[in-house]
Amino acid sequence: MEEPRLASLSLTHVHYNPADRVSYICAWLALVPQGLCIVYATLIWSTREVEIMLMFAGQMSCEAVNFVLKRYIKEERPLAMHGKGYGMPSSHAQFVTFFSLTLSLFLLFRHTPHPTETHTPFSLPQRALLSIAALAGAGAVACSRIYLNYHTPKQVLAGVAAGAVYAVFWFWVTSCLRRSGWVEWALETRLARLARVRDLVVQEDLVDSGWVRWEERRRRRKRAVDATRKAR
């Protein structure tokens, strides 16, 4: 019997010019959305923060909007990439724009961490710089799509616009959910309690999460060691 033809898993099958160093960097930038999905999954599993879950839900619904828009507009990619799906709007540009703008809105308007005895959280200017860095990173990913000829400038700009509009819309939706008490209600459900979902990151720096408990445990261990040495 004839052997079946093997297929290539296209999830990370990025085309680039191996003789062009910039093209090589752009190929790595094309993997940023996949990397961010891993970051989302890791943070959701390790922190159980409802704010991160809400952001991920917005990210996935933004992807659904891109899926619908592409199949409604049906605009082809540049000639070099014809046959690789529709190109309007750029899903990469929309993905990273939503992520970076949503993160910026959170850091600047919702995140109000309080200093503790052991940690001083980022100040507002520092959070602003972090937001600028996130937006610059999104810009690099968006530009890489043009450089690799996966999208036209118009398709990338459309993706940026769609991602920005949806980010503002989703931030408004989650703000309404918080003000109306729906988030607090969801946190009190049996499922959320079993999963240990919490809502601390709005007022607590993730770097400081659990640090006080760790320091207290370390001091108790040190006191126990010192007491053992004195007893000898």
Side-chain angles (χ1 to χ4, degrees), residues 49 111-116 119-123 126-127 198 200-211:
E49 281 286 341
H111 188 45
T112 55
H114 302 305
T116 64
H119 180 70
T120 301
F122 282 166
S123 63
Q126 289 173 320
R127 297 201 300 274
R198 60 190 188 183
L200 293 175
V201 73
V202 173
Q203 294 183 327
E204 181 179 299
D205 197 314
L206 277 178
V207 175
D208 196 44
S209 180
W211 180 255

Side-chain angles (χ1 to χ4, degrees), residues 81-124:
M81 295 297 170
H82 264 199
K84 297 186 180 300
Y86 299 121
M88 173 65 87
S90 166
S91 57
H92 275 71
Q94 186 169 330
F95 189 105
V96 294
T97 300
F98 175 89
F99 172 81
S100 60
L101 187 54
T102 301
L103 177 63
S104 300
L105 291 171
F106 169 75
L107 290 174
L108 298 176
F109 299 106
R110 185 174 293 168
H111 188 45
T112 55
H114 302 305
T116 64
E117 295 180 358
T118 59
H119 180 70
T120 301
F122 282 166
S123 63
L124 183 59

